[in-house]
Structures are given as structure tokens and as C-alpha cells.
Amino acid sequence: GENVEQHPSTLSVQEGDSAVIKCTYSDSASNYFPWYKQELGKRPQLIIDIRSNVGEKKDQRIAVTLNKTAKHFSLHITETQPEDSAVYFCAASDGSGTYKYIFGTGTRLKVLA
Amino acid sequence: DVKVTQSSRYLVKRTGEKVFLECVQDMDHENMFWYRQDPGLGLRLIYFSYDVKMKEKGDIPEGYSVSREKKERFSLILESASTNQTSMYLCASRPTVQETQYFGPGTRLLVL
């Protein structure tokens, strides 16, 4: 079946540095790619999303890039802060129209003060 | 503000018990989902519903069933709980396809 691979599984950065998380998807018909942040003990919450007709989207310190040809998309966090520490999940829409999102396995980001 | 609630934050059940997990959303969303979250495995889809009384199997439906009699409520049923169903269960809803999913707070289920 369709799947989404997410790397790395854990990432530690110094406060103020940048963090990059990468996802690769298999369904060439996928056209919606959300990113969720899950803090410890809390529910996942959307932080940014991108659609296939756009190559890049930015929201303050967070940006997402999409390469449709290579079928991968990445989350970029600049000037990291301790409150960015969380698990981040990428997802891709199922292109067959089944309404599903296929999630990556998550990246645990630790920002070291 | 979208609100998705789940009936319990923590549950402890015995093997063989029938377990009901309920999810309610207050934003008239069409689509609702049940996931389980396990360390290293991410979010795995159990069942989803794109409309009232409609349901579709996700990636891991075995041992589960669902019910959606009203638009705002989506129930997950463990017909006969087993220890390998110990997990965090997350409900989500969204207005329609390719829109943001909003998650509930989760139910941590322990099956003894």
C-alpha cells in the first residue's frame, strides 16, 4: 500500500540552530501534505500544510518545501527554541480518493538550551 | 474554535471485555477518524467515516468496529479486548477532504 517515510526519527539541535525533517511519499497522486506537532501528553496539532500546486510555504520560523518530481517534502524550523521540542508528524493525502491521510512515523525533536 | 472530545482520557479493561470509545465534534464536520498511536509506529488508521452511517476500514481494522449514527459522534468498539490493543487511541475530524484534521485529546487504554 501507499506509505510515507519520515527521517530522522530523533533530532537534537542547539537552541537557535535550524532543524530539518524530511518525508518521502509513494503515491504520485497525493496532493495535500500537512505537518503536525505533538507535545508531550497533548494532541497532534497542525502547524503548516502545503498543496501540490505550491513548491514552498512559510509561516514565521516554519517552512515546508515540496518536490513533486522526487516525491518528498520537508519541514524547516529556523531559530529553534526549547518550546519547539516535540514529536513532528508528516502526512500525505491518499490520491485514490479514499479520504485518508497517510502519516509518517514521527520525529522527536529536542532543542537543547 | 473546533472542539473534538473523547469520552475518557484513561481506561483500564480486562481481556475479553467489550470496550466503547466515544468521540464527539462540535463543528459539523463530514469526516471522522480513529487512529491508534504506538511508539515508533506513528499514527495508524483503524477506521474512518466520511458521512453519517458510512464507514471505511483503515489500515488496521481487525478486532475493531465503529458506529456513526449521528454526524457529531463516532464510536470505536473493541468487541473483545486483548492485551495487544493496549495503546493510545486518537479520534480526529475534518470538514471535508484535503482539509485540516483536528484531533481529540486521546484515550490511553490499558488491557490487562
Side-chain angles (χ1 to χ4, degrees):
Chain A
E2 308 302 342
N3 77 309
V4 173
E5 293 189 2
Q6 183 172 347
H7 298 282
S9 56
T10 60
L11 178 60
S12 292
V13 299
Q14 289 294 136
E15 183 178 358
D17 286 352
S18 295
V20 181
I21 302 169
K22 299 181 179 179
C23 289
T24 303
Y25 60 99
S26 59
D27 186 351
S28 58
S30 294
N31 54 14
Y32 176 66
F33 307 90
W35 283 90
Y36 289 86
K37 175 184 180 182
Q38 186 177 27
E39 296 177 46
L40 189 64
K42 297 191 176 179
R43 69 190 78 190
Q45 292 195 302
L46 180 82
I47 54 171
I48 196 166
D49 57 7
I50 192 168
R51 299 181 192 277
S52 59
N53 58 348
V54 175
E56 183 173 358
K57 185 176 178 180
K58 192 173 181 180
D59 183 3
Q60 299 182 329
R61 297 186 296 108
I62 294 172
V64 56
T65 58
L66 172 64
N67 183 327
K68 285 175 56 180
T69 303
K71 290 190 285 187
H72 66 70
F73 56 113
S74 299
L75 178 71
H76 305 254
I77 306 173
T78 59
E79 301 172 16
T80 53
Q81 300 167 4
E83 53 264 37
D84 294 329
S85 296
V87 178
Y88 292 81
F89 292 98
C90 64
S93 62
D94 184 328
S96 69
T98 62
Y99 305 83
K100 298 191 303 183
Y101 293 158
I102 303 159
F103 282 84
T105 51
T107 296
R108 183 173 299 278
L109 173 64
K110 294 182 184 178
V111 180
L112 307 171
Chain B
D1 212 17
V2 176
K3 195 171 182 182
V4 182
T5 58
Q6 294 182 227
S7 50
S8 304
R9 292 299 305 270
Y10 301 96
L11 271 181
V12 180
K13 295 292 181 181
R14 296 281 179 190
T15 303
E17 280 192 79
K18 191 168 186 176
V19 182
F20 294 86
L21 303 181
E22 287 212 318
C23 175
V24 177
Q25 51 94 3
D26 67 354
M27 285 302 292
D28 202 37
H29 286 175
E30 298 286 336
N31 308 153
M32 296 187 75
F33 305 82
W34 275 107
Y35 295 90
R36 64 177 282 177
Q37 183 175 22
D38 300 288
L41 297 177
L43 296 165
R44 294 182 293 166
L45 182 64
I46 304 171
Y47 267 96
F48 63 104
S49 167
Y50 48 88
D51 203 350
V52 178
K53 297 191 186 293
M54 307 299 282
K55 59 186 179 184
E56 292 283 342
K57 292 180 180 179
D59 300 315
I60 50 165
E62 297 78 18
Y64 304 94
S65 62
V66 290
S67 172
R68 194 168 179 203
E69 295 297 317
K70 293 185 177 181
K71 193 173 187 179
E72 67 270 19
R73 190 180 300 269
F74 192 34
S75 301
L76 179 70
I77 304 151
L78 286 67
E79 297 289 343
S80 177
S82 63
T83 54
N84 61 13
Q85 292 179 309
T86 290
S87 187
M88 170 68 84
Y89 290 87
L90 286 164
C91 171
S93 73
R94 73 181 178 197
T96 185
V97 296
Q98 296 184 36
E99 295 292 338
T100 303
Q101 281 190 4
Y102 297 88
F103 285 87
T107 296
R108 188 167 293 281
L109 173 65
L110 173 62
V111 182
L112 300 174

